[in-house]
Amino acid sequence: MPAATAVSSVPDALGRFGRFGGRYVPETLSAALDQLEREYAQAQADPAFHAELDGLLSAFVGRPTPLLFAKRLTEYAGGAQIYFKREDLSHTGAHKINNTLGQGLLAIRMGKRRIIAETGAGQHGVATATACARFGLECVVYMGAEDVRRQAPNVRNMRFMGAEVRPVESGSRTLRDAINEAMRDWMGSVETTHYIIGSVVGPHPFPRIVRDFQSVIGRETVEQCRRQLGRLPDMVVACVGGGSNAAGMFYPFVDHSEVRLVGVEAGGRSGEPGDHAASLSYGSPGILHGSLSYVLQDHDGQTADVHSVSAGLDYPGVGPEHAYWHDTGRVEYTSVTDGEALDAFDLVAQREGVLPALETSHALAWAANEAAKRPPSEILVVCLSGRGDKDAAEIARLRGLAADGSEK
Amino acid sequence: MITDNPKSAPVPSSPAKPIAKLEAAFAAARAAGRKALAPFVTAGDPDLATTVAVLEAVDRAGATLCELGVPYSDPIADGPVIQASYTRALGAGITLDGVLSIAKQASAKVTMPILAMVSYSIIFRRGIDRFVTDAKAAGLAGFVVPDLPLEESDEFDSACRAAGLALVRLVTPTTPPERAEAIARKSTGFLYCVSVAGVTGTRTELPPGLLDRIAWLRTKTDVPIVVGFGISSPEQVRAVAAVADGVIVGSALVRVVAESAADATSEMRSQVETFIADLSAATTAA
C-alpha cells in the first residue's frame, strides 16, 4: 500500500486533489452525488461487485488487452523501444467501456434504470449504449451537432444498440455543450436517472470513480511490463482531453517515481486562443462542469472556444487529478498539433497495421518523436486508447479524398 | 394597469451593511400586507442601457427586490430562455465590469435592493475578496450562487459576512430534510426555495407537494422563504404567496424583455411594468 503522502493518496473526503476537484454543482444534484459516493464505497467493499465487473471485463470486453511491441515504428524512430497498450482491442474499440460497465453496475445497485451520457468522439456514447444494451437500461446520449457530423459511424452504432442520440445545437456544438445538456437533463431526472460521465471530469465523486474504473489499464500494463520485459518502462505516454485513458494508465504508475509520465494535449492549429484545446499547456485554474481544474477561459471566467481535429480532445477543461499531477510535477504535459496527429495516424497505420483514433494519434506523434531521442535500451509505452475506424471518413474528407480513400 | 406604488414603507438609503437594505425591503412588504416579488433580469440583454431601464421599470411597477443575472457561458441550472439571454448578452460583449456598472447605475435610481445571480466560476476567476469588494462598491446587496453548495462555500460565506452582503442559499425538492435545515441556517437575506427538480423555465402547474414543503421549511427557519423556478403567472404567484414570503419570476420576464427589446424604449418599459404590476398585485394577501 502507498504511504499516506504518496501521490496516489487523493482525493480527500471532499473530492480534493490538492486544491483541485471539489463539487461545484446546483443543490438539486447534491443528494444524487452523495448517493453515488455511498454506493461506490459499498460496491468497493463488496466482493460480488468486483466479481461481476471482472467477469464482464474478461468475457465481454476481452481483457486483459495485450501489450504489443511496435517493431517497425521503433525501427523508424531509431531510438527507444515503443510498446502499445492495446485498448483499441477492447470491445467497442476504446478504453471507454471499462468505465461504462462499472458505472452501469452502480446505477443498477442504486435502482436507476435510465442512463444519460455525453460524448465527444462517440466512443463513450457507444460504450454507454453497449453497457445499457447489455444491462437492459434505457439510454440517452447527448452529442454536439458538429460531432454527430464528424463521428457518424459511432452515432449509427449507438442507435443500432437502442440508444437515443440527442444532437446538441447550443454553443460550439461539441463536447462541452453535450456535457451542459446532459447536466440539465440530470437536473430534472436525477431521482430516476444516473449520469455516466465519460471522463475524469465533473463533480466529486466522478473524477475518482472514473479513474478507478480506468486504472485497470495501468494495472495490467505494470504487470505485463514486469512479466514480458522484466521491468517497468522508462516512460508512459497517453493523450489527454478530459483525461480518462491517461488517468487510468498513469494512476498505477504515479508512486513509481522512476517512470516518466507524459500527457499529450490537443495543440490544434496553433497556440493562439481558440485554435487548440490544451488546458494544462495554456489554461489557468477555474471552475467548469462542477470541479476546479485548469480551464481555457477568458478574463472573466467565461469558457473559451476551443479547437481540435479530434472530437474526443475538443474540450476546454481537464480532469482535476491531472491539474494536481501537473502542479506537483509528477506528470509532464505537452501538446501536438492537428497536423502532427494526422501524420502519426498515417505512420502507425502504414508501419504497424493499426488504425489509431485521432485522439490516440496525438500521443503517438509525441511518442515517435521522443523515442528517436532516447537510447534503444529505454522502453516507452503508449496507451493506444482507441481505434480509428470512426475517424476514417473525416480524415478522407479533410484530405479531399473520395469516400473509398482514392484521389478525387 | 399600473396602480399606486405598493411600497408603502420607506426603504432606508445607504445602510452600513448592504444586507440591511434587503431586510428592510422584506419588512416594508410585510408592513404593507404583501409578499415579496423578486424579478430576475439578465444583465446586458440586449445591452447595458436597456438593462438599467428594465430595472427602473420593475422597481416602479412594485418589485420588492431584484436578481441581476450575470451572464455565464455554461449555465447548467438554466433552461433555454435564460441560456439564450446569456448567449445574447455575451455575444453583445457584456463583461463582469459591465454588469457591475449596470448595478451601480441602477442602484442610484431604484429603491429596491439588487442581488447578483452569479456562477462561482466567475467569482473564483476574479478572486473572492476582489469580487466582494467590487460588488459592494457597485451597490449590490448580496448574491445567489447557484453552483456553490454548502460544502464549498465557507470562504465565500466568510467574505460576504465580513462585507455585510447576503449569501442566499438554495434548497430543492431533492434536498434531504436535515440538509435543508443546515442550508437554511447558513442562508442570509432570504432562503431560495427551488420549486422543482430541474432547470429554470416557466411551467404551467405548480409542482405537487410544493406548498407543504414551504410550510415545513417555515417551521425550520426565520429567514424569509422565497420560491423560484417555473413561476410566471399571477395565479401561481397568488398560490405561492399564500404560504411563502416571496416569489421569484425569471424566465417569463426575460422573455418579455427579449420580445419587446426591439420596440422603442418607452414601449418596452411599459410592457415590463404591466407584466410586473400584474404579478405584484397577486402578492397582496387575500
Side-chain angles (χ1 to χ4, degrees):
Chain A
M1 286 295 284
T5 52
V7 182
S8 62
S9 63
V10 285
D12 67 12
L14 290 174
R16 292 280 166 185
F17 302 85
R19 67 172 168 144
F20 299 105
R23 182 185 287 179
Y24 300 92
V25 291
E27 171 59 22
T28 299
L29 302 180
S30 287
L33 294 169
D34 283 342
Q35 179 193 19
L36 177 61
E37 195 178 348
R38 281 193 306 273
E39 194 63 52
Y40 181 60
Q42 286 169 14
Q44 272 186 309
D46 180 359
F49 176 81
H50 292 286
E52 185 169 12
L53 181 57
D54 290 348
L56 286 164
L57 290 175
S58 166
F60 188 61
V61 178
R63 304 203 72 91
T65 59
L67 183 70
L68 172 77
F69 178 49
K71 184 165 177 291
R72 295 189 67 234
L73 185 64
T74 298
E75 285 167 9
Y76 171 86
Q81 304 161 54
I82 302 169
Y83 284 78
F84 293 162
K85 174 61 175 168
R86 298 293 307 278
E87 291 302 298
D88 61 317
L89 292 180
S90 300
H91 180 42
T92 71
H95 67 290
K96 294 290 189 186
I97 189 84
N98 302 325
N99 170 49
T100 60
L101 290 172
Q103 286 203 49
L105 291 176
L106 290 178
I108 293 167
R109 288 175 70 104
M110 292 187 289
K112 293 182 172 180
R113 308 294 302 184
R114 178 174 180 267
I115 299 294
I116 54 172
E118 85 294 340
T119 196
Q123 291 301 133
H124 175 58
V126 168
T128 304
T130 301
C132 289
R134 170 82 198 174
F135 296 143
L137 303 173
E138 183 186 346
C139 181
V140 174
V141 178
Y142 291 90
M143 187 169 188
E146 168 63 11
D147 295 337
V148 168
R149 182 195 66 72
R150 59 181 167 170
Q151 307 279 240
N154 278 339
V155 176
R156 182 196 61 214
N157 293 349
M158 284 184 257
R159 288 178 171 145
F160 282 169
M161 284 183 285
E164 180 190 346
V165 180
R166 296 188 183 168
V168 176
E169 299 284 355
S170 60
S172 54
R173 305 157 85 234
T174 58
L175 179 55
R176 156 194 163 200
D177 310 287
I179 296 178
N180 286 340
E181 278 313 305
M183 289 270 190
R184 288 179 190 126
D185 180 312
W186 209 29
M187 288 281 290
S189 64
V190 65
E191 285 164 296
T192 57
T193 296
H194 178 61
Y195 177 16
I196 300 188
I197 288 188
S199 193
V200 287
V201 300
H204 175 63
F206 282 113
R208 188 246 171 104
I209 289 177
V210 179
R211 175 201 73 192
D212 287 354
F213 286 140
Q214 292 296 358
S215 289
V216 66
I217 304 170
R219 285 197 306 273
E220 286 177 5
T221 305
V222 166
E223 195 194 315
Q224 287 165 327
C225 286
R226 284 187 169 138
R227 204 178 55 239
Q228 291 175 229
L229 311 172
R231 67 177 181 93
L232 292 182
D234 298 283
M235 201 186 310
V236 178
V237 183
C239 65
V240 177
S244 71
N245 90 86
M249 181 55 128
F250 294 165
Y251 185 66
F253 282 102
V254 292
D255 291 334
H256 297 282
S257 58
E258 72 279 16
V259 180
R260 185 180 170 200
L261 304 174
V262 181
V264 184
E265 298 192 299
R269 292 179 289 251
S270 81
E272 293 298 310
D275 267 4
H276 61 80
S279 314
L280 290 162
S281 304
Y282 299 102
S284 51
I287 291 159
L288 176 65
H289 293 145
S291 65
L292 170 57
S293 185
Y294 278 75
V295 179
L296 293 165
Q297 58 187 335
D298 75 3
H299 178 74
D300 276 350
Q302 309 290 354
T303 312
D305 286 335
V306 294
H307 161 81
S308 172
V309 69
S310 147
L313 304 184
D314 200 351
Y315 181 64
V318 65
E321 192 160 19
H322 286 292
Y324 172 68
W325 289 338
H326 173 271
D327 278 20
T328 58
R330 177 62 191 94
V331 180
E332 298 163 52
Y333 295 89
T334 182
S335 64
V336 308
T337 64
D338 287 351
E340 290 168 322
L342 286 162
D343 288 348
F345 174 88
D346 288 342
L347 182 66
V348 173
Q350 290 164 23
R351 294 198 72 97
E352 290 295 341
V354 170
L355 288 185
L358 276 178
E359 292 75 22
T360 313
S361 299
H362 287 72
L364 291 165
W366 192 86
N369 195 42
E370 183 68 14
K373 302 176 196 163
R374 311 300 307 176
S377 58
E378 291 196 1
I379 294 168
L380 186 162
V381 175
V382 185
C383 185
L384 215 135
S385 53
R387 69 182 182 216
D389 308 50
K390 68 187 177 61
D391 297 311
E394 177 68 359
I395 291 170
R397 189 190 71 84
L398 287 170
R399 291 179 174 159
L401 301 174
D404 66 1
S406 62
E407 304 282 345
K408 269 184 186 168
Chain B
M1 292 298 285
I2 312 248
T3 51
D4 299 343
N5 190 325
K7 280 177 253 188
S8 55
V11 176
S13 60
S14 323
K17 285 187 168 188
I19 193 172
K21 197 173 174 185
L22 196 55
E23 289 159 356
F26 279 101
R30 253 194 313 276
R34 313 168 45 77
K35 299 299 175 69
L37 178 65
F40 170 96
V41 176
T42 295
D45 175 32
D47 55 45
L48 274 65
T50 303
T51 303
V52 174
V54 170
L55 291 170
E56 288 182 81
V58 300
D59 182 59
R60 206 162 35 238
T64 314
L65 59 111
C66 185
E67 278 184 74
L68 184 62
V70 181
Y72 176 51
S73 53
D74 298 82
I76 60 171
D78 283 305
V81 172
I82 292 177
Q83 271 179 59
S85 75
Y86 282 180
T87 304
R88 285 192 299 271
L90 290 169
I94 190 77
T95 61
L96 178 55
D97 287 335
V99 175
L100 295 172
S101 83
I102 289 171
K104 187 155 195 170
Q105 287 175 53
S107 48
K109 294 177 176 176
V110 302
T111 54
M112 63 180 183
I114 301 172
L115 298 137
M117 167 76 93
V118 55
S119 168
Y120 195 62
S121 303
I122 290 170
I123 298 171
F124 180 86
R125 179 69 165 159
R126 179 147 296 196
I128 286 176
D129 290 339
R130 221 187 115 201
F131 180 86
V132 168
T133 302
D134 292 351
K136 189 173 181 178
L140 288 167
F143 313 103
V144 183
V145 188
D147 51 4
L148 189 69
L150 207 52
E151 295 78 5
E152 303 288 358
S153 64
D154 285 353
E155 201 183 348
F156 188 61
D157 185 80
S158 300
C160 289
R161 282 175 200 272
L165 291 158
L167 176 53
V168 172
R169 313 283 187 146
L170 301 95
V171 294
T172 75
T174 59
T175 308
E178 275 180 25
R179 184 177 168 87
E181 286 186 55
I183 292 170
R185 271 197 300 277
K186 291 287 271 184
S187 199
T188 53
F190 61 90
L191 178 65
Y192 192 134
C193 175
V194 176
S195 68
V196 289
V199 295
T200 56
T202 57
R203 290 162 175 88
T204 51
E205 305 274 326
L206 288 179
L210 173 64
L211 302 182
D212 288 345
R213 207 153 52 79
I214 300 167
W216 176 82
L217 275 172
R218 183 70 291 160
T219 67
K220 299 296 173 189
T221 179
D222 292 328
V223 295
I225 297 168
V226 181
V227 180
F229 281 42
I231 298 169
S232 60
S233 71
E235 293 69 32
Q236 290 170 324
V237 168
R238 198 168 288 116
V240 171
V243 286
D245 300 298
V247 290
I248 295 162
V249 176
S251 296
L253 176 60
V254 170
R255 191 181 291 117
V256 170
V257 172
E259 286 171 359
S260 59
D263 299 340
T265 308
S266 60
E267 179 64 18
M268 187 275 295
R269 282 184 199 184
S270 111
Q271 291 195 33
V272 168
E273 284 187 32
T274 302
F275 179 76
I276 294 298
D278 286 351
L279 297 177
S280 179
T283 62
T284 307

